[in-house]
Amino acid sequence: MRDEPAPETYTPCFDWVIQATGSLPAALTYGVVWRYAQMSGARCYASCERLAHHLAWARQTVMRHLAILRQMGLVICANPREPGV
């Protein structure tokens, strides 16, 4: 049996998000959320810790940029009262 290489994955960085937010980190945060939302029902179920791992950031950094995206209406949190959301 041959070992198959893992499929390559990437996190997109949308130009329109950079322009809307004026922030490359916010656009990368949007990109990783978008990537996970492609997997199951157009929703991202990944924890902030997991998202941070993909970007090689701290969880708090991801949460800070998610707050900006939420304030702008670019992402919606379905469970904002949950711990760690």
Side-chain angles (χ1 to χ4, degrees), residues 14-69:
F14 295 97
D15 292 336
W16 68 268
V17 181
I18 297 170
Q19 292 172 352
T21 63
S23 169
L24 181 60
L28 286 169
T29 302
Y30 180 91
V32 76
V33 169
W34 177 88
R35 184 174 125 194
Y36 271 91
Q38 303 309 299
M39 295 182 196
S40 179
R43 290 180 177 230
C44 173
Y45 295 100
S47 67
C48 289
E49 188 74 33
R50 181 175 296 259
L51 299 175
H53 174 76
H54 284 290
L55 296 170
W57 294 348
R59 179 180 55 86
Q60 293 85 354
T61 303
V62 169
M63 291 178 72
R64 185 172 53 250
H65 293 295
L66 283 172
I68 293 166
L69 295 169

